[in-house]
Amino acid sequence: MNIIVTGGAGFIGSNFIFHMLKKYPEYRIICLDKLTYAGSLSTLEPVMDKPNFRFAKADICDREAVNELFEDEHPDIVVNFAAESHVDRSIEDPGVFLQTNIIGTATLMDVCRKYGIKRYHQVSTDEVYGDLPLDRPDLFFTEETPIHTSSPYSSSKAGADLLVMAYHRTYGLPVTISRCSNNYGPYHFPEKLIPLMIANALADKPLPVYGEGLNVRDWLYVEDHCKAIDLIIHKGRVGEVYNIGGHNEMRNIDIVKLICKELGKPESLITHVTDRKGHDMRYAIDPTKIHNELGWLPETKFADGIKKTIKWYLENQKWWKDIINGEYQNYYDKMYGNR
Ligand code: NAD
Ligand code: TYD
């Protein structure tokens, strides 16, 4: 089995590659990644020399380059993680989100059609469903929840999902889509809430909580997400959407306080800053479908996952310090300097 994993030099894609190479040593895994600010070859270092792994630097919007790779590798399955993924960046500059997330997805699927792929899997997000009110804890996102986006990021992901379903209905492309809640774990880029707070707390820097910090996210350990995608590409029904989430809702402020506690840092580091524009209040996934059909359940409890994650950031400081000390510093100054 030959699998092309796009965006595999980023957070979830790299974890997925590690999972697949370990579980299926007989598969060939090809990572296609543009290596934007969010992708790094240092992340893939542990697998770079494996004979059944190949890295190809390319943009999913570059039809010729994608064609060439398919010509070489004749993949059976494509799993598309490649995306611009940070909501705050999408608010500053939506253009690249539309380009990569929508045009890139269409380009990739065109090439999949040409080469008669067995499965195209689109890694999507629960953010396509918009948000839920804090005073209705009985409400959850199901696969039937209407698409109702808030940010340029979620709109671009929703646009991609609609195209994926259109390619299935119009051209018969064998697709599946997964919509997952917030992930955390190793190799999470330090612009996102959990790694940013760990890095800042370790440096005794202010912990910038947007608004009151009452927004709720449904956190899932990245390995559980990877296992769900593994199940979907092997056993999921073509043309179907599967929600992935762990019934693990937490308020941002409580996550930040927990990180302070685990690291032995004072809560006085917490600084409330200007809220995100259009900030979604609550995400909460109903994972009944993937549980009933594929037997998936999250395995890592948040209390354990957050400890493992913090330990990883403590033991792998070079990985994230190289990022923080590089070009990322300009982004941080721009986003948080006058907030
Ligand atoms: P990430 O930002 O860490 O990684 C994205 C990767 O895609 C990087 O390696 C980057 O170099 C690559 N990339 C970007 N543009 C590209 C292009 N044009 N061509 C080829 N490669 C390109 O993202 P992530 O957090 O790992 O998310 C992966 C996927 O999962 C995304 O599609 C995202 O929407 C989705 N998702 C993420 C979360 C989450 O909590 N992080 C939750 C649900 C869904
Ligand atoms: P983030 O990790 O960007 O993921 P998403 O926006 O996709 O949910 O943010 C998670 C939550 O944390 C979100 O409600 C915004 C909030 N947040 C902060 O309060 N401070 C920060 O510095 C960041 C990056 C996020």
Coordinates of all heavy atoms in Angstrom, one line a residue, residues 6-14 32-40 58-61 80-86 99-101 104 122-127 153 157 178-184 187-189 191-192 219 225, ligand 1:
T6 N -0.1 14.5 2.8 CA 0.2 15.9 2.5 C 0.2 16.6 3.9 O -0.5 16.3 4.8 CB -0.8 16.6 1.6 OG1 -2.0 16.6 2.2 CG2 -0.9 15.8 0.3
G7 N 1.1 17.6 4.0 CA 1.2 18.3 5.3 C 1.8 17.5 6.4 O 1.6 17.8 7.6
G8 N 2.6 16.5 6.0 CA 3.1 15.6 7.0 C 4.3 16.1 7.8 O 4.8 15.5 8.7
A9 N 4.8 17.3 7.5 CA 5.8 17.9 8.3 C 5.3 18.9 9.3 O 6.0 19.6 10.0 CB 6.8 18.7 7.4
G10 N 3.9 18.9 9.4 CA 3.3 19.7 10.5 C 2.9 18.9 11.7 O 3.3 17.7 11.8
F11 N 2.1 19.4 12.5 CA 1.8 18.8 13.8 C 1.1 17.4 13.7 O 1.6 16.4 14.0 CB 0.9 19.8 14.6 CG 0.2 19.3 15.8 CD1 0.9 18.4 16.7 CD2 -1.1 19.6 16.1 CE1 0.2 17.9 17.8 CE2 -1.7 19.1 17.2 CZ -1.1 18.3 18.1
I12 N -0.1 17.4 13.2 CA -0.9 16.2 13.2 C -0.4 15.2 12.1 O -0.3 14.0 12.3 CB -2.4 16.4 13.0 CG1 -2.9 17.5 14.0 CG2 -3.2 15.1 13.2 CD1 -4.3 17.9 13.7
G13 N 0.0 15.8 10.9 CA 0.5 14.9 9.8 C 1.7 14.2 10.2 O 1.9 13.0 9.9
S14 N 2.6 14.8 11.0 CA 3.9 14.1 11.4 C 3.5 13.0 12.4 O 4.0 11.9 12.3 CB 4.9 15.0 12.0 OG 4.4 15.7 13.1
L32 N 4.2 14.7 1.3 CA 4.3 15.8 0.4 C 4.0 17.1 1.2 O 3.0 17.2 1.8 CB 3.3 15.7 -0.7 CG 3.2 16.8 -1.8 CD1 2.4 16.2 -3.0 CD2 2.5 18.0 -1.3
D33 N 5.0 18.0 1.3 CA 4.8 19.2 2.2 C 5.6 20.3 1.6 O 6.7 20.2 1.1 CB 5.3 18.9 3.6 CG 4.8 19.8 4.6 OD1 5.1 21.1 4.5 OD2 4.1 19.4 5.5
K34 N 5.0 21.5 1.6 CA 5.6 22.7 1.1 C 6.6 23.3 2.1 O 7.4 24.2 1.7 CB 4.5 23.8 0.9 CG 4.9 25.0 0.2 CD 3.7 26.0 0.1 CE 4.1 27.3 -0.6 NZ 3.0 28.3 -0.6
L35 N 6.6 22.8 3.3 CA 7.5 23.4 4.4 C 7.2 24.9 4.5 O 8.1 25.7 4.3 CB 8.9 23.1 4.1 CG 9.3 21.6 4.1 CD1 10.8 21.4 3.9 CD2 8.9 20.9 5.4
T36 N 6.0 25.3 4.8 CA 5.7 26.7 5.2 C 6.3 26.9 6.6 O 6.9 26.0 7.1 CB 4.2 26.9 5.2 OG1 3.7 26.1 6.4 CG2 3.5 26.4 4.0
Y37 N 5.9 28.0 7.1 CA 6.4 28.3 8.5 C 6.1 27.2 9.5 O 6.7 27.0 10.5 CB 5.9 29.7 9.0 CG 4.4 29.5 9.5 CD1 4.2 29.3 10.8 CD2 3.4 29.6 8.6 CE1 2.9 29.1 11.3 CE2 2.1 29.4 9.0 CZ 1.8 29.1 10.4 OH 0.6 29.0 10.8
A38 N 5.0 26.5 9.2 CA 4.4 25.5 10.1 C 5.0 24.1 9.9 O 4.8 23.2 10.8 CB 2.9 25.4 10.0
G39 N 5.8 23.9 8.9 CA 6.3 22.6 8.6 C 7.8 22.6 8.8 O 8.5 23.6 8.5
S40 N 8.3 21.5 9.3 CA 9.8 21.5 9.6 C 10.3 20.0 9.3 O 9.7 19.1 9.8 CB 10.1 21.9 11.0 OG 11.4 21.5 11.3
A58 N 6.8 20.0 -1.9 CA 6.0 20.5 -3.0 C 4.7 21.2 -2.4 O 4.4 20.9 -1.3 CB 5.5 19.3 -3.9
D59 N 4.1 22.0 -3.2 CA 2.9 22.7 -2.8 C 1.7 22.0 -3.4 O 1.7 21.6 -4.6 CB 3.0 24.1 -3.5 CG 1.9 25.1 -3.1 OD1 0.8 24.6 -2.7 OD2 2.1 26.3 -3.1
I60 N 0.7 21.8 -2.6 CA -0.5 21.0 -3.1 C -1.2 21.8 -4.2 O -2.0 21.3 -5.0 CB -1.5 20.6 -2.0 CG1 -2.0 21.8 -1.2 CG2 -1.0 19.5 -1.2 CD1 -3.2 21.5 -0.4
C61 N -0.9 23.1 -4.3 CA -1.5 23.9 -5.4 C -0.8 23.8 -6.7 O -1.2 24.2 -7.8 CB -1.5 25.4 -5.0 SG -2.3 25.8 -3.5
N80 N -5.1 14.1 3.2 CA -4.7 15.5 3.0 C -4.8 16.3 4.3 O -5.9 16.7 4.8 CB -5.6 16.2 2.0 CG -5.3 17.7 1.8 OD1 -4.1 18.1 2.0 ND2 -6.2 18.5 1.4
F81 N -3.6 16.5 4.9 CA -3.5 17.3 6.2 C -3.1 18.7 5.8 O -3.1 19.6 6.6 CB -2.4 16.8 7.1 CG -2.7 15.5 7.8 CD1 -2.3 14.3 7.2 CD2 -3.4 15.5 9.0 CE1 -2.6 13.1 7.9 CE2 -3.7 14.3 9.7 CZ -3.3 13.1 9.1
A82 N -2.5 18.9 4.6 CA -1.9 20.2 4.2 C -2.9 21.3 4.3 O -4.0 21.3 3.7 CB -1.3 20.1 2.8
A83 N -2.6 22.3 5.1 CA -3.5 23.5 5.2 C -2.8 24.6 6.0 O -1.8 24.4 6.7 CB -4.7 23.0 6.0
E84 N -3.3 25.8 5.8 CA -3.0 26.9 6.7 C -4.0 26.6 7.8 O -5.2 26.4 7.6 CB -3.3 28.2 6.0 CG -2.2 28.6 5.0 CD -0.9 28.8 5.6 OE1 -0.8 29.3 6.8 OE2 0.1 28.6 4.9
S85 N -3.5 26.6 9.1 CA -4.3 26.1 10.2 C -4.6 27.0 11.4 O -5.3 26.6 12.3 CB -3.7 24.8 10.7 OG -2.5 25.1 11.4
H86 N -4.0 28.2 11.3 CA -4.2 29.1 12.5 C -5.2 30.2 12.3 O -5.0 31.1 11.5 CB -2.8 29.6 12.9 CG -2.8 30.3 14.3 ND1 -3.6 29.8 15.3 CD2 -2.2 31.3 14.8 CE1 -3.4 30.5 16.4 NE2 -2.5 31.5 16.1
Q99 N -6.2 30.0 -0.9 CA -5.4 29.3 -1.9 C -5.0 27.9 -1.5 O -5.4 27.0 -2.2 CB -4.1 30.2 -2.0 CG -3.1 29.7 -3.1 CD -3.7 29.7 -4.5 OE1 -4.6 30.5 -4.8 NE2 -3.2 28.9 -5.4
T100 N -4.4 27.7 -0.3 CA -4.0 26.3 0.1 C -5.2 25.5 0.4 O -5.3 24.4 -0.1 CB -3.1 26.4 1.3 OG1 -1.8 26.9 0.8 CG2 -2.9 25.0 1.9
N101 N -6.1 26.0 1.2 CA -7.2 25.1 1.8 C -8.2 24.7 0.7 O -8.8 23.6 0.7 CB -7.8 25.7 3.0 CG -6.7 25.9 4.1 OD1 -5.6 25.6 3.9 ND2 -7.2 26.4 5.3
G104 N -5.9 24.3 -3.2 CA -4.9 23.2 -3.0 C -5.7 21.8 -3.0 O -5.3 20.8 -3.6
Q122 N -10.0 13.6 3.4 CA -9.8 15.0 3.8 C -9.8 15.2 5.3 O -10.8 14.8 5.9 CB -10.9 15.8 3.1 CG -11.0 17.3 3.4 CD -9.8 18.1 2.7 OE1 -9.1 17.5 1.9 NE2 -9.8 19.3 3.0
V123 N -8.8 15.7 5.8 CA -8.7 16.0 7.3 C -9.3 17.4 7.5 O -8.7 18.4 7.2 CB -7.3 16.0 7.8 CG1 -7.2 16.2 9.3 CG2 -6.6 14.6 7.5
S124 N -10.5 17.4 8.0 CA -11.2 18.7 8.3 C -11.3 18.9 9.8 O -10.6 18.3 10.6 CB -12.6 18.6 7.6 OG -13.2 19.9 7.7
T125 N -12.2 19.9 10.1 CA -12.2 20.4 11.5 C -13.7 20.6 12.0 O -14.5 20.9 11.1 CB -11.5 21.7 11.6 OG1 -11.8 22.4 12.8 CG2 -11.8 22.6 10.4
D126 N -13.9 20.5 13.3 CA -15.2 20.8 13.8 C -15.6 22.2 13.7 O -16.7 22.6 13.8 CB -15.3 20.4 15.3 CG -14.3 21.1 16.2 OD1 -13.4 21.9 15.7 OD2 -14.4 20.9 17.5
E127 N -14.5 23.1 13.3 CA -14.8 24.5 13.2 C -15.8 24.8 12.0 O -16.3 25.9 12.0 CB -13.5 25.3 13.1 CG -12.7 25.1 14.4 CD -11.5 26.1 14.5 OE1 -11.6 27.2 14.1 OE2 -10.5 25.7 15.2
Y153 N -10.4 31.0 8.3 CA -9.9 29.6 8.4 C -11.0 28.6 8.2 O -11.0 27.7 7.4 CB -9.2 29.4 9.7 CG -8.9 27.9 10.0 CD1 -8.1 27.2 9.2 CD2 -9.6 27.3 11.1 CE1 -7.9 25.8 9.5 CE2 -9.4 26.0 11.4 CZ -8.6 25.2 10.6 OH -8.4 23.9 10.8
K157 N -11.9 25.8 5.2 CA -12.0 24.4 5.4 C -13.4 23.9 5.0 O -13.5 22.8 4.4 CB -11.7 24.1 6.9 CG -10.3 24.3 7.4 CD -9.3 23.4 6.7 CE -9.4 22.0 7.2 NZ -8.2 21.2 6.6
S178 N -13.0 13.6 7.7 CA -13.1 13.6 9.2 C -13.1 15.0 9.7 O -12.3 15.8 9.2 CB -12.0 12.7 9.8 OG -10.7 13.2 9.4
R179 N -13.9 15.2 10.7 CA -13.9 16.6 11.3 C -13.6 16.4 12.8 O -14.4 15.9 13.6 CB -15.3 17.2 11.2 CG -15.6 17.5 9.7 CD -17.0 18.2 9.5 NE -17.2 18.4 8.1 CZ -18.3 18.3 7.5 NH1 -19.4 18.0 8.1 NH2 -18.4 18.6 6.2
C180 N -12.4 16.9 13.2 CA -11.9 16.6 14.5 C -11.9 17.9 15.4 O -11.9 19.0 14.8 CB -10.5 16.1 14.4 SG -9.9 15.5 16.0
S181 N -12.0 17.7 16.7 CA -11.9 18.8 17.6 C -10.4 19.2 17.8 O -9.5 18.6 17.2 CB -12.5 18.4 18.9 OG -11.9 17.2 19.4
N182 N -10.2 20.1 18.7 CA -8.8 20.6 19.0 C -7.9 19.5 19.4 O -8.2 18.8 20.4 CB -8.8 21.7 20.1 CG -9.4 23.0 19.6 OD1 -10.5 23.0 19.2 ND2 -8.6 24.0 19.6
N183 N -6.7 19.4 18.8 CA -5.7 18.4 19.1 C -4.6 19.0 20.0 O -4.4 20.2 19.9 CB -5.0 17.9 17.9 CG -5.8 16.9 17.0 OD1 -5.2 16.0 16.4 ND2 -7.1 17.1 16.9
Y184 N -4.0 18.2 20.8 CA -2.8 18.6 21.5 C -1.8 17.4 21.6 O -2.2 16.3 21.4 CB -3.1 19.1 22.9 CG -3.6 18.0 23.8 CD1 -2.8 17.5 24.8 CD2 -4.9 17.5 23.7 CE1 -3.2 16.5 25.7 CE2 -5.4 16.5 24.5 CZ -4.5 16.0 25.5 OH -5.0 15.0 26.3
Y187 N 5.0 18.1 19.0 CA 5.2 18.8 17.7 C 4.1 19.7 17.3 O 3.8 20.1 16.2 CB 5.3 17.7 16.5 CG 6.6 16.9 16.7 CD1 6.4 15.5 17.0 CD2 7.8 17.4 16.5 CE1 7.5 14.7 17.1 CE2 9.0 16.5 16.6 CZ 8.8 15.2 17.0 OH 9.9 14.4 17.1
H188 N 3.3 20.2 18.4 CA 2.3 21.2 18.2 C 3.0 22.5 18.0 O 3.7 22.9 18.9 CB 1.3 21.2 19.4 CG 0.0 21.7 19.1 ND1 -1.0 21.8 20.1 CD2 -0.6 22.2 18.0 CE1 -2.1 22.3 19.5 NE2 -1.9 22.6 18.3
F189 N 2.7 23.3 16.9 CA 3.4 24.5 16.7 C 3.1 25.5 17.8 O 2.0 25.7 18.2 CB 3.0 25.1 15.3 CG 3.9 26.1 14.8 CD1 5.0 25.8 14.1 CD2 3.6 27.5 15.0 CE1 5.9 26.8 13.6 CE2 4.5 28.5 14.6 CZ 5.6 28.1 13.9
E191 N 2.5 28.5 18.2 CA 1.5 29.6 18.1 C 0.2 29.2 18.7 O -0.7 30.1 18.9 CB 1.4 30.0 16.6 CG 0.7 29.0 15.8 CD 0.6 29.3 14.3 OE1 1.0 30.4 13.9 OE2 0.3 28.4 13.5
K192 N -0.1 27.9 18.9 CA -1.4 27.5 19.3 C -1.4 27.5 20.9 O -0.4 27.4 21.5 CB -1.7 26.1 18.8 CG -1.6 25.9 17.3 CD -2.8 26.5 16.6 CE -2.6 26.6 15.1 NZ -2.3 25.4 14.3
W219 N -10.8 18.9 23.7 CA -9.4 18.6 23.4 C -9.2 17.1 23.3 O -9.7 16.3 24.1 CB -8.5 19.1 24.6 CG -8.4 20.6 24.6 CD1 -9.2 21.4 25.4 CD2 -7.6 21.4 23.8 NE1 -8.9 22.7 25.1 CE2 -8.0 22.8 24.1 CE3 -6.7 21.2 22.8 CZ2 -7.3 23.9 23.5 CZ3 -6.1 22.3 22.2 CH2 -6.4 23.6 22.6
H225 N -6.5 11.0 17.4 CA -6.9 11.5 16.1 C -6.3 10.6 15.0 O -7.0 10.2 14.1 CB -6.5 12.9 16.0 CG -7.0 13.6 14.7 ND1 -6.7 14.9 14.4 CD2 -7.9 13.2 13.8 CE1 -7.3 15.2 13.2 NE2 -8.0 14.2 12.8
Ligands
NAD1 P1 0.0 22.6 10.9 O1 -0.2 24.0 10.6 O2 0.8 22.2 12.1 O3 0.7 21.9 9.7 C1 0.3 22.1 8.3 C2 1.3 21.5 7.4 O4 0.9 21.7 6.1 C3 2.7 22.1 7.5 O5 3.7 21.1 7.5 C4 2.8 23.0 6.3 O6 4.2 23.1 5.8 C5 2.0 22.2 5.3 N1 1.4 23.0 4.2 C6 0.8 24.2 4.3 N2 0.5 24.7 3.1 C7 0.9 23.7 2.2 C8 0.8 23.6 0.8 N3 0.2 24.6 0.1 N4 1.2 22.5 0.2 C9 1.8 21.5 0.9 N5 1.9 21.6 2.2 C10 1.5 22.7 2.9 O7 -1.4 22.0 11.0 P2 -2.0 20.8 11.9 O8 -2.5 21.4 13.2 O9 -1.2 19.7 11.9 O10 -3.4 20.5 11.1 C11 -3.4 19.5 10.0 C12 -4.8 19.4 9.5 O11 -5.7 19.1 10.5 C13 -5.3 20.8 8.9 O12 -6.0 20.5 7.7 C14 -6.2 21.3 9.9 O13 -7.2 22.1 9.3 C15 -6.8 20.0 10.5 N6 -7.2 20.1 11.9 C16 -6.3 20.6 12.9 C17 -6.7 20.6 14.2 C18 -5.8 21.0 15.3 O14 -6.2 21.1 16.5 N7 -4.6 21.4 15.1 C19 -8.0 20.1 14.6 C20 -8.9 19.6 13.5 C21 -8.4 19.6 12.2

